[in-house]
Amino acid sequence: MSAPNTAPAQQHRHREASVPDSVGLSFPRLVRSEWIKLRSIRSTVWCYAILVLLTIAMAVLLGAVIDQGAGQMPQEAVNGGFVNINTVSVSLTALVVGVLGVLIITGEYGTGQVRSTFTADPGRTGVILAKAFVLALATFVVSVVSTGIGVAVSAGLQASKDIHPEFTDPAVWMPILGASVYVTLVALFAYGIGLLVRSSAGGIAITLGIFLVLPVILSIFAELTQAQWVADVATLLPSAAGAELYAYSYSGARDVTGLVLNGWGGFGVLAVEVVVIGAIAIAVARSRDV
C-alpha cells in the first residue's frame, strides 16, 4: 500500500520551515509589496474616499453655518470653536479606518493570499510590520491632506464672518494634527485585532464594540455604581484616551475628579494599547498555522 498523503496544512508548514530567513525579502521590498496590495484593494479606495469626503464636508458645512459673533467671543473661544469645526468628523472617520485596518489583513486570510505573503517572509514579523507601516503612512497622509483642505476652506468661511482663529497658537494646530494621529492609531489598533481573530466580521465587530459599545457600558455602570475606578477605566479606553489628542485645551483648572489625561497622556495611553495589541497579534501569528 502507498503511504497516505500529507495534509496540505502540514505540507505548507514543512515548506515554510525549510525556507531560511535569508531567502525572505528585505523590509523595503516588503513595504513596496504591501503598498501595491494596499492600493489594489477596492475597500482601501472606498474607505479613504469616505474619510476625505467626511473630513472636508463636515469642516465646510460647519464653517459655513457656525457664526460665533464677530468681536463678541473671547479669542480662546474662537480658537476652540475652530478646532471643533475641523475635528468633529473624527468620531466617524476613525470608525471608517478601523474597518479598513481589519480588512487589509483578514481579506488575505479569507482569500488564502496570506500563505504567499508568509512564504515571502518565513519569519512573518517583517511582513506584518511592513503592512502596518504602509497602513499607518497612507492613513496619516490621507487624513492630514483632507484635514488641511478642510481647515483652509473653513478658515475662509469663518473669515468672511470676521472670525479669525490664531493659527500660530499650538493649542489650535496641535489638536488638528492630533486628529490625524488618532485615526492612524485607530487603524493600527484595528489591524492588530484583525490579525488576532483572522475574521472580517469578527474583527470589525470587536473593533466597533471597543470604540462604540464598551464606552457606553462603562459610562452606565459608573453612573449606577458611582464607582470612581470604573470612570477611571473608561478614561483609559482607546476612544476616550484618543479623544484627548484632538481636544482643545482651555485655560484654567478643570473641575474633574479622578483620572484626567491631557493630549500627550492620551497619546501615550493609546499608543501603548496599540503596541500591546500588535505585540500579542504578532506573537500569535508567528506561533499558529496559516
Side-chain angles (χ1 to χ4, degrees):
M1 295 178 62
S2 60
N5 291 331
T6 306
Q10 292 178 326
Q11 291 178 346
H12 177 76
R13 185 166 60 252
H14 292 329
R15 287 198 304 269
E16 192 176 75
S18 65
V19 179
D21 289 345
S22 59
V23 176
L25 298 175
S26 63
F27 188 74
R29 290 186 176 182
L30 289 172
V31 168
R32 181 181 179 183
S33 174
E34 292 303 323
W35 166 243
I36 294 173
K37 285 193 286 186
L38 179 68
R39 66 182 181 177
S40 64
I41 300 174
R42 189 178 304 172
S43 58
T44 300
V45 177
W46 281 108
C47 287
Y48 283 146
I50 294 172
L51 185 153
V52 172
L53 178 62
L54 285 175
T55 302
I56 298 177
M58 292 294 286
V60 172
L61 177 63
L62 294 179
V65 171
I66 293 179
D67 188 349
Q68 303 180 76
Q72 300 177 12
M73 299 289 291
Q75 188 62 49
E76 187 177 46
V78 172
N79 292 345
F82 186 76
V83 170
N84 291 335
I85 287 173
N86 288 280
T87 59
V88 70
S89 62
V90 173
S91 58
L92 298 176
T93 57
L95 300 179
V96 174
V97 298
V99 171
L100 176 62
V102 171
L103 292 179
I104 67 165
I105 182 63
T106 58
E108 289 202 34
Y109 278 101
T111 61
Q113 187 181 6
V114 71
R115 295 182 183 277
S116 300
T117 298
F118 287 159
T119 299
D121 178 34
R124 301 189 181 182
T125 301
V127 72
I128 292 173
L129 293 179
K131 189 182 291 290
F133 175 79
V134 170
L135 172 66
L137 182 60
T139 302
F140 182 76
V141 170
V142 172
S143 180
V144 165
V145 171
S146 56
T147 300
I149 296 173
V151 167
V153 177
S154 62
L157 293 171
Q158 290 285 283
S160 66
K161 303 174 184 179
D162 199 24
I163 301 173
H164 305 280
E166 296 177 333
F167 295 104
T168 58
D169 187 351
V172 174
W173 59 263
M174 285 192 68
I176 294 176
L177 180 62
S180 297
V181 175
Y182 173 66
V183 297
T184 302
L185 291 175
V186 170
L188 291 175
F189 186 93
Y191 171 66
I193 296 294
L195 183 59
L196 272 173
V197 302
R198 301 188 294 181
S199 165
S200 297
I204 293 173
I206 293 173
T207 300
L208 296 184
I210 291 174
F211 282 88
L212 291 180
V213 180
L214 190 56
V216 175
I217 293 176
L218 287 181
S219 177
I220 294 174
F221 190 64
E223 190 70 25
L224 293 176
T225 62
Q226 297 296 313
Q228 185 59 51
W229 69 268
V230 179
D232 291 342
V233 170
T235 304
L236 297 176
L237 290 176
S239 56
E244 296 296 331
L245 276 167
Y246 56 91
Y248 181 83
S249 298
Y250 290 90
S251 60
R254 287 192 281 182
D255 186 18
V256 179
T257 59
L259 181 63
V260 178
L261 298 175
N262 57 13
W264 287 108
F267 169 75
V269 169
L270 181 55
V272 168
E273 292 168 343
V274 170
V275 170
V276 169
I277 291 294
I280 295 174
I282 290 175
V284 172
R286 284 173 55 88
S287 63
R288 68 189 176 192
D289 292 334
V290 176

